[in-house]
Amino acid sequence: MSTTSTAHDPLHQPSAPIVTEPVPDLQLQLLVRLIGQDAQAALPITLTVGGVFLYGDLISHEAWTTDWARSLHGMDGSGAQLLERFPQQVDEVVADRQGPGPQRLPQWIHLRDATGIAGGGTAVMPLWRGRLTDVSGWSLGKPKQP
């Protein structure tokens, strides 16, 4: 008599959870890296992030950090002086964590004069930073008004 056992049957084994991570678009990563070669460069771009259209000028991390530091100098409040070196401190920590080695592909995207469109409303931001893994679509240029 033959007994069928599922103990050795791979089709009946409990499966382990599969962990997946979002993967950024390689072409967009390369475009961000290209812009990163010139702190003065900017390209108009439209992104889809979390179902929201976002458009503005794609800028380098260096340009974004410079503009961000400048905007922090204008902050009011008792803790404002603490923010003066914050952008540089962030860059130092990131550099320490990445360590020496070949240049990694960028993980973040930076926009200047960004406009987000969702649900018929708009939001305008002088500077915007987002994870490339959160970008689900993109196009060079900004939307044309009808």
Side-chain angles (χ1 to χ4, degrees), residues 30-50:
L30 293 172
L31 182 63
V32 169
R33 184 166 72 178
L34 179 66
I35 288 292
Q37 295 175 5
D38 182 354
Q40 305 305 312
L43 281 175
I45 193 165
T46 300
L47 310 172
T48 306
V49 181

Side-chain angles (χ1 to χ4, degrees), residues 43-48 52-58 111-118 121-123 137-146:
L43 281 175
I45 193 165
T46 300
L47 310 172
T48 306
V52 172
F53 282 110
L54 181 68
Y55 62 91
D57 293 321
L58 174 62
L111 301 182
R112 180 185 291 137
D113 299 327
T115 301
I117 303 172
T122 61
W138 64 278
S139 175
L140 285 177
K142 296 179 184 176
K144 296 192 186 324
Q145 301 301 324

Side-chain angles (χ1 to χ4, degrees), residues 51-75:
V52 172
F53 282 110
L54 181 68
Y55 62 91
D57 293 321
L58 174 62
I59 59 173
S60 69
H61 170 78
E62 182 182 344
W64 180 84
T65 300
T66 300
D67 288 0
W68 188 42
R70 192 175 304 126
S71 72
L72 292 176
H73 288 295
M75 298 289 293

Side-chain angles (χ1 to χ4, degrees), residues 111-134:
L111 301 182
R112 180 185 291 137
D113 299 327
T115 301
I117 303 172
T122 61
V124 178
M125 299 155 278
L127 292 170
W128 180 86
R129 171 183 165 101
R131 290 185 309 184
L132 281 165
T133 55
D134 292 336

